[in-house]
Structure formats: structure tokens, C-alpha cells
């Protein structure tokens, strides 16, 4: 996995995570946009994931940390271009506009896809936390695809 952080700009603090996955882009897309599959790899509490995968559609999930703390997450889909690009708006308490994260899938052959996650945050601390969470998501997704490539 490669990680890139960009210095603070007028737009905030950004990071980019890139990882090669052994699955076609359509399979990765399905894992990211199907509630039952997403819950299996994204540390979500069973039954907490809801997805209306279309521009303006809502999503929600409650994530459980390894320590057992639970965090409800909500947002909406900003851009949906199956199976190559997905932009999520994420509700942030105290922030008037949602934070956005963009997922891009680039096929590099029939069973190889490069996934790139990008996000810009308001502070370096927020960026570091979001980057750590995104890294955990990519770890979970990688393991899920390896364990169950056709689920």
C-alpha cells in the first residue's frame, strides 16, 4: 500500500491511499456497495449497514473498534460511477458540510484492481485519524476479497 499526505493548502489537509487488490473492479465495487458484504469487512455492527447507492442516496453504518467502542456513521452518495468511482459524503458533528472521500477503482487486468482512496480534512489531526481508519478499511477489504473472492 502506498500513502501520500499533502501539506496543508487553502482546501485543508489531504491524504491518498493506494492498494493493489486481487479481484476485478466489479467484485471490489460489489464488496463496497452491498450492505451484507460491506458489514463483513468494514468492522460494522451486523444489521447496522444501510445503503441507497445512487447520487443523493443515504448510507449509514455503526462501526465497532477492536476495543468494542461503537461509532454510528451517516452520510450520502455524492457521485456514483459503477464500477470505477464512488464519492461519499460523511456527516461530521459540528460541521455544516459533509466531509467527502473518493474511491477510485482502476483495473490492471482481469483479476487485478488498484483502489485509491482520497480525502481532504480540516485539520492534520482529523486527516491522521481518517487516514488510519481508511487504512483499516483497506486491510479488511483485502482480507475479505482473499478469503471469499466470489462472495
Amino acid at each position: 500500500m502506498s500513502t501520500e499526505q499533502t501539506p496543508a493548502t487553502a482546501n485543508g489537509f489531504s491524504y491518498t491511499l493506494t492498494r493493489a487488490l486481487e479481484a476485478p473492479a466489479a467484485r471490489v465495487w460489489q464488496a463496497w456497495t452491498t450492505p451484507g458484504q460491506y458489514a463483513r469487512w468494514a468492522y460494522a455492527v451486523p444489521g447496522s449497514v444501510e445503503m441507497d447507492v445512487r447520487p443523493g442516496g443515504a448510507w449509514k453504518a455503526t462501526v465497532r473498534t477492536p476495543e468494542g467502542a461503537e461509532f454510528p456513521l451517516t452520510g450520502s452518495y455524492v457521485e456514483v460511477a459503477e464500477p470505477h468511482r464512488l464519492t461519499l459524503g460523511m456527516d461530521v458533528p459540528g460541521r455544516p458540510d459533509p466531509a467527502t472521500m473518493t474511491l477510485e477503482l482502476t483495473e490492471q487486468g482481469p483479476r487485478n484492481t488498484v483502489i485509491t482512496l482520497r480525502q481532504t480534512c480540516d485539520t492534520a489531526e482529523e486527516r491522521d485519524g481518517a487516514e488510519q481508519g481508511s487504512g483499516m478499511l483497506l486491510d479488511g477489504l483485502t482480507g475479505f476479497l482473499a478469503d471469499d473472492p466470489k462472495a
Side-chain angles (χ1 to χ4, degrees), residues 85-107:
R85 186 176 173 94
L86 187 66
T87 302
L88 304 166
M90 298 173 287
D91 299 329
V92 178
R95 183 175 171 170
D97 298 319
T100 59
M101 179 177 71
T102 299
L103 153 77
E104 292 181 355
L105 302 175
T106 306
E107 283 193 324

Side-chain angles (χ1 to χ4, degrees), residues 69-94:
E70 294 185 1
F71 297 95
L73 304 173
T74 61
S76 62
Y77 295 96
V78 176
E79 179 184 10
V80 178
E82 184 178 350
H84 300 292
R85 186 176 173 94
L86 187 66
T87 302
L88 304 166
M90 298 173 287
D91 299 329
V92 178

Side-chain angles (χ1 to χ4, degrees), residues 15 92 95 99 119-131:
Y15 71 89
V92 178
R95 183 175 171 170
Q119 186 172 355
T120 299
C121 302
D122 292 336
T123 67
E125 180 179 76
E126 182 184 330
R127 178 207 51 214
D128 293 347
E131 184 177 5

Side-chain angles (χ1 to χ4, degrees), residues 103-120:
L103 153 77
E104 292 181 355
L105 302 175
T106 306
E107 283 193 324
Q108 306 259 308
R111 293 219 19 97
N112 294 298
T113 300
V114 173
I115 185 171
T116 303
L117 296 179
R118 290 186 178 86
Q119 186 172 355
T120 299

Side-chain angles (χ1 to χ4, degrees), residues 5 37 50 87 91 132 145:
Q5 289 186 342
Q37 290 185 35
E50 295 179 18
T87 302
D91 299 329
Q132 180 181 8
L145 293 171

Side-chain angles (χ1 to χ4, degrees), residues 13-99:
F13 297 80
S14 300
Y15 71 89
T16 301
L17 298 178
T18 303
R19 184 172 295 186
L21 302 170
E22 293 184 24
R27 175 70 190 98
V28 178
W29 181 272
Q30 181 183 34
W32 201 283
T33 60
T34 304
Q37 290 185 35
Y38 182 87
R40 289 173 48 197
W41 62 265
Y43 309 96
V45 173
S48 72
V49 179
E50 295 179 18
M51 299 176 163
D52 181 8
V53 186
R54 61 182 175 82
W59 65 266
K60 72 177 185 174
T62 298
V63 176
R64 182 178 294 137
T65 68
E67 296 78 30
E70 294 185 1
F71 297 95
L73 304 173
T74 61
S76 62
Y77 295 96
V78 176
E79 179 184 10
V80 178
E82 184 178 350
H84 300 292
R85 186 176 173 94
L86 187 66
T87 302
L88 304 166
M90 298 173 287
D91 299 329
V92 178
R95 183 175 171 170
D97 298 319

